[in-house]
Amino acid sequence: MTVNENSKPLLTVKGLKQYFKVSNNYTVHAVENVSFQIYPGETYGLVGESGSGKSTIGRSIIRLYDPTAGEINFNGMDISGRINKANSQALRTQMQMIFQDPMASLNPRKKVRDIIGEGLDIHHMYKTRAEREEKIKNILAKVGLAPEHAGRYPHQFSGGQRQRVGIARALIMNPKLIIADECISALDVSIQAQVVNLMKDIQQETGTAYLFIAHDLSMVKYISDRIGVLHLGHLLETGTTEEIFENPIHPYTKSLLSAIPAPNPVVEKNRVALSYDYKTSGIDYNKGTDHLVSGTHYVKCTDEEFKKWTE
Ligand SMILES: Nc1ncnc2c1ncn2[C@@H]1O[C@H](COP(=O)(O)OP(=O)(O)OP(=O)(O)O)[C@@H](O)[C@H]1O
Ligand SMILES: [Mg+2]
């Protein structure tokens, strides 16, 4: 989906901090001053190594956590502080999440019909049982499952089918934003592409936006319009997918990209994996200013560092 730069962002995250107090004298700074925007109908990929704070950002946005600091605006609503009832209701329907492990996130004792229908039940989104059943059948068809699957339990599905159920559950609420946290990582490689293509088709049809959280950069490249690179809770670089892949600026981004194997054996033979060690890099993320490079591409670093990398 191409992003209309003139349209208003669907989600604006500004200066988000998420700290966890883990003991009397120790606090984890999981997310530190993160700002980015997601436009209606686009896919924003969030990448970074394990523990960099990707899931925490997703969970703070959907308010599974109360943000320590920062502003989150979603579809014109301020959802960062105390949320009133109307906004809370809107948030619970218009923003949905798909999880990594569908087996763990789907209630094993419920039939698929009731797993998918739960959101409809809670938010009173039908008038008759027949209307509920109709909505469930339609959504099952949309994710490539059959009507009779509605009567089955989660363990009676394959991993790929189960993730389709997870997508159907999110989709039935007709959300404006879906947060997909490593939603294909647990699947077979052959099934990953199927599910990602299904997500793309659904986006074309419904215009939903995705926050796509993943390790696998090649999949992120394939699905994302724009990408944010996260390291140690800091968003180091963000830009269009092309900008990040063709013209990465931050040394950490360069090292991430250099780790991707090339499909062409000649290129792969000459690939040099760049190492990056924060401790010896001499870079202080906390001193960072956001340097605007082009339209949307920015890098977090000091003036000196910026000059050094871009010379
Ligand atoms: N509820 C919590 N309490 C304490 N610390 C937490 C909590 N949630 C996350 N953290 C810490 O915050 C940091 C970021 O975790 P997070 O799960 O967001 O990383 P991630 O980028 O999603 O990693 P992965 O790729 O492994 O899923 C980690 O150091 C983690 O231990
Ligand atoms: Mg995670």
Side-chain angles (χ1 to χ4, degrees):
M1 173 143 308
T2 45
V3 180
N4 181 355
E5 293 285 336
N6 297 323
S7 64
K8 277 218 291 254
L10 172 67
L11 178 83
T12 302
V13 176
K14 220 162 138 186
L16 178 67
K17 292 183 184 180
Q18 189 71 62
Y19 296 173
F20 299 107
K21 196 168 165 43
V22 284
S23 72
N24 274 344
N25 43 18
Y26 194 68
T27 301
V28 178
H29 292 205
V31 178
E32 191 66 275
N33 225 341
V34 163
S35 306
F36 64 98
Q37 295 177 321
I38 301 181
Y39 287 88
E42 80 162 341
T43 300
Y44 188 88
L46 202 51
V47 300
E49 63 197 41
S50 185
S52 57
K54 303 181 296 295
S55 298
T56 306
I57 289 178
R59 288 163 157 264
S60 306
I61 292 171
I62 205 163
R63 289 303 295 268
L64 288 170
Y65 299 143
D66 285 330
T68 308
E71 289 165 35
I72 305 172
N73 189 290
F74 173 63
N75 202 26
M77 300 175 286
D78 175 12
I79 55 162
S80 42
R82 276 183 68 93
I83 313 182
N84 65 32
K85 223 174 162 190
N87 283 359
S88 166
Q89 167 93 356
L91 177 64
R92 304 219 174 289
T93 54
Q94 293 171 17
M95 200 191 280
Q96 295 293 319
M97 199 152 180
I98 312 174
F99 296 91
Q100 170 167 0
D101 180 0
M103 198 61 216
S105 62
L106 304 177
N107 188 336
R109 291 196 193 83
K110 278 191 170 178
K111 287 184 177 163
V112 159
R113 168 181 292 112
D114 295 320
I115 291 174
I116 297 178
E118 193 177 17
L120 298 178
D121 298 341
I122 293 171
H123 299 283
H124 313 291
M125 290 167 75
Y126 54 87
K127 290 198 183 68
T128 60
R129 292 305 281 185
E131 189 188 340
R132 179 185 190 263
E133 194 63 17
E134 184 68 22
K135 285 191 175 189
I136 290 166
K137 296 268 157 73
N138 285 343
I139 240 38
L140 282 174
K142 204 171 264 180
V143 299
L145 293 173
E148 53 269 26
H149 285 136
R152 291 204 198 154
Y153 292 94
H155 73 265
Q156 296 171 308
F157 290 90
S158 72
Q161 284 176 324
R162 263 199 296 273
Q163 198 53 294
R164 286 170 195 265
V165 174
I167 293 172
R169 177 175 62 174
L171 211 58
I172 202 161
M173 306 307 287
N174 207 4
K176 293 195 162 60
L177 176 67
I178 295 179
I179 299 176
D181 188 358
E182 308 268 7
C183 72
I184 53 165
S185 311
L187 303 175
D188 243 41
V189 178
S190 59
I191 308 297
Q192 285 185 355
Q194 273 181 22
V195 172
V196 164
N197 282 329
L198 172 69
M199 289 174 70
K200 274 191 152 190
D201 291 347
I202 285 168
Q203 187 172 57
Q204 288 286 337
E205 201 182 317
T206 64
T208 184
Y210 291 120
L211 173 59
F212 190 84
I213 298 172
H215 274 99
D216 180 356
L217 274 166
S218 52
M219 217 36 114
V220 169
K221 183 182 185 184
Y222 179 62
I223 195 172
S224 305
D225 299 293
R226 292 188 304 122
I227 290 175
V229 180
L230 206 64
H231 189 223
L232 302 175
H234 295 258
L235 193 74
L236 299 182
E237 182 162 4
T238 185
T240 64
T241 301
E242 200 186 327
E243 284 166 339
I244 297 287
F245 275 82
E246 302 306 323
N247 184 26
I249 293 169
H250 199 283
Y252 177 69
T253 312
K254 287 183 182 168
S255 99
L256 264 190
L257 295 180
S258 74
I260 307 173
N264 179 331
V266 181
V267 180
E268 173 62 16
K269 208 172 158 207
N270 296 319
R271 178 171 66 90
V272 181
L274 305 170
S275 66
Y276 175 79
D277 184 356
Y278 172 71
K279 289 194 195 79
T280 56
S281 69
I283 301 170
D284 185 352
Y285 296 163
N286 291 311
K287 282 199 199 133
T289 43
D290 298 341
H291 289 266
L292 220 54
V293 177
S294 70
T296 52
H297 194 181
Y298 79 74
V299 188
K300 200 180 178 92
C301 58
T302 63
D303 289 326
E304 274 166 40
E305 287 159 3
F306 186 68
K307 264 194 227 122
K308 208 166 65 196
W309 305 335
T310 49
E311 253 163 22

